[in-house]
Amino acid sequence: MTDGTYPPSSPQPEPAHGSGGYGFPPGPPAQNGYGYPSGDGGYGYPQAGQQPNPYQQDAGGQQWQPAPAPAQPGFTRLAGPDIPGASDQPDWEAMADRSEAARRKKKRWTLVGGVTVLALLAGGGTFFLLAGGSDGDDQEGTNAQPSASASPEPEDSKSPAAYTATVAGDDTLLRDSYGSMGIRLGPDLRVGPLGKRFQVVGKGNANSWGQSAEPVVDVTKSFTITARAYSSATKGSRIVMSQGDGESFSFELGVNEVNGKQAWIFRVQTGDKGAAATTRTVAAEGLTVLKTPTLVMATYDAEKKKIALYTDGKKAGETDVPPIWQAPGPLQLGRSKHHNIWTGPWQGALHNIKIYDAAFSAEQAAAYKEGKLGPAPKPAHAWLLT
């Protein structure tokens, strides 16, 4: 447990125009700040007379029809159907040619796969590095094929459906699986594959952020926030999530340097305007942070006036706090506001992000890590589920 201080605040460098990264295609720069359109709607949500909320849209599309089965190669009809004794006999020469072609194709794919793996390792890529996590109490559509943007099934639907990471028709708006609070992605926090699921990958610059339309967490009441995180940054502050866009945050969860080394931290603001003396911090020291997939969880118990931090289901520490300051502004992914400056741009990958309207106990945190939390409590909001 450590009382933290703020890291040096400095604006982050802007990325090169049209830059991609992490295997994503380049995209156009954001317009009008934070990637939102101008107008009175705010945060990219519809104004009067404009399109309705994307959660109410249905994805159109044509019914898929299977293609007719191709003729079976390698066989030759030796007698017509009207001739007695007609039968299919194998064309041995054609079959030998097919076998040789298949062998050559397999050899090529093996070579390509090996080169791809070496390239990813050499480039420090973050794709697929979070796979295999068992945390969480709701594995939606485990056997379904992914769809980056499609209409979600109704909650009472019993038919299997592909999990969708984003809202239908908008690949920059993360779909809330339990509530109706989308998260708008900045230009350099992009959705990428994670096996049959999805993650967001940040480049560690000023555009590596996501933002909801309004506050998600009521900091006057108990709450739990959690995510699986993979940091590829070697130093500095790197924030998984925070809340507030005014002068300072209400809370922030992420990575910070503690006693000269990287550590997972949970910090809350108990007074306005971000004065260092009014923050309280819990840190998980002595753990390997760099390029280590970690389940991070932070809780606030409004009745006991305590905050706690858990890593991979184990309590790192807790501390007493006064009431948390209710900073104005929405939930943030990949950044935090310090003294009117955005800090802590996320570099790496995030997924399985959830918000609960209750403070988990140590037993519940351990059960969550093992996927044994049970049917209750349910998240109030969730994005990028595994």
Side-chain angles (χ1 to χ4, degrees):
M1 178 175 69
T2 307
D3 287 335
T5 58
Y6 292 104
S9 299
S10 60
Q12 300 297 319
E14 292 297 328
H17 178 66
S19 62
Y22 294 97
F24 292 103
Q31 298 294 324
N32 301 308
Y34 301 123
Y36 298 103
S38 60
D40 298 328
Y43 299 107
Y45 284 76
Q47 308 171 27
Q50 293 184 336
Q51 272 208 346
N53 191 304
Y55 286 97
Q56 300 174 354
Q57 297 177 6
D58 293 325
Q62 297 181 346
Q63 181 67 33
W64 176 81
Q65 296 293 336
Q72 182 70 18
F75 284 83
T76 303
R77 175 72 68 179
L78 299 182
D82 57 338
I83 301 176
S87 62
D88 285 329
Q89 296 294 332
D91 184 342
W92 300 111
E93 184 176 355
M95 292 179 68
D97 291 341
R98 285 181 62 207
S99 177
E100 178 63 17
R103 185 187 65 79
R104 289 196 300 268
K105 183 177 181 181
K106 181 177 180 181
K107 185 176 181 180
R108 286 197 304 271
W109 278 110
T110 301
L111 179 60
V112 170
V115 172
T116 301
V117 169
L118 291 175
L120 285 174
L121 291 176
T126 54
F127 294 128
F128 307 109
L129 294 174
L130 297 180
S134 61
D135 55 283
D137 56 323
D138 52 302
Q139 306 297 322
E140 286 196 2
T142 303
N143 297 319
Q145 293 298 315
S147 174
S149 179
S151 295
E153 287 288 309
E155 290 188 2
D156 57 353
S157 173
K158 302 301 180 182
S159 61
Y163 175 75
T164 60
T166 55
V167 172
D170 192 343
D171 290 338
T172 67
L173 186 64
L174 294 183
R175 180 176 72 89
D176 186 350
S177 295
Y178 282 85
S180 58
M181 187 64 65
I183 293 181
R184 180 70 62 187
L185 299 179
D188 289 326
L189 188 65
R190 302 288 188 87
V191 177
L194 178 63
K196 292 184 178 181
R197 287 292 180 266
F198 302 95
Q199 60 189 350
V200 288
V201 180
K203 298 175 66 174
N205 60 27
N207 288 322
S208 301
W209 55 265
Q211 180 172 276
S212 64
E214 58 189 59
V216 172
V217 179
D218 184 350
V219 297
T220 67
K221 301 177 181 178
S222 297
F223 64 84
T224 295
I225 58 176
T226 183
R228 280 191 67 86
Y230 176 92
S231 174
S232 58
T234 59
K235 61 182 179 180
S237 173
R238 305 292 171 175
I239 300 302
V240 173
M241 73 178 91
S242 69
Q243 185 162 286
D245 64 357
E247 291 190 56
S248 181
F249 60 91
S250 279
F251 63 81
E252 59 180 8
L253 172 65
V255 178
N256 208 172
E257 292 188 9
V258 179
N259 295 323
K261 296 182 179 180
Q262 285 190 316
W264 294 104
I265 60 99
F266 177 47
R267 181 180 290 122
V268 299
Q269 178 67 253
T270 61
D272 62 2
K273 298 186 179 180
T278 62
T279 61
R280 298 291 185 272
T281 304
V282 180
E285 299 183 67
L287 302 177
T288 301
V289 174
L290 181 64
K291 297 182 179 180
T292 304
T294 305
L295 169 63
V296 288
M297 176 182 289
T299 66
Y300 170 61
D301 190 319
E303 182 178 347
K304 296 180 179 179
K305 296 294 189 291
K306 289 181 180 291
I307 59 171
L309 174 65
Y310 298 84
T311 58
D312 290 329
K314 298 177 182 179
K315 180 182 280 189
E318 66 178 15
T319 189
D320 296 327
V321 297
I324 298 176
W325 179 54
Q326 194 165 10
L331 185 76
Q332 307 288 333
L333 293 185
R335 65 180 181 178
S336 182
K337 201 69 171 292
H338 285 235
H339 305 289
N340 276 320
I341 298 174
W342 289 114
T343 64
W346 185 253
Q347 180 176 321
L350 299 171
H351 77 111
N352 212 26
I353 303 164
K354 296 180 186 177
I355 308 292
Y356 291 85
D357 292 336
F360 278 19
S361 65
E363 293 76 18
Q364 286 176 310
Y368 180 89
K369 171 61 176 67
E370 300 300 322
K372 299 177 181 178
L373 186 60
K378 285 291 186 183
H381 304 277
W383 305 270
L384 297 162
L385 297 183
T386 56

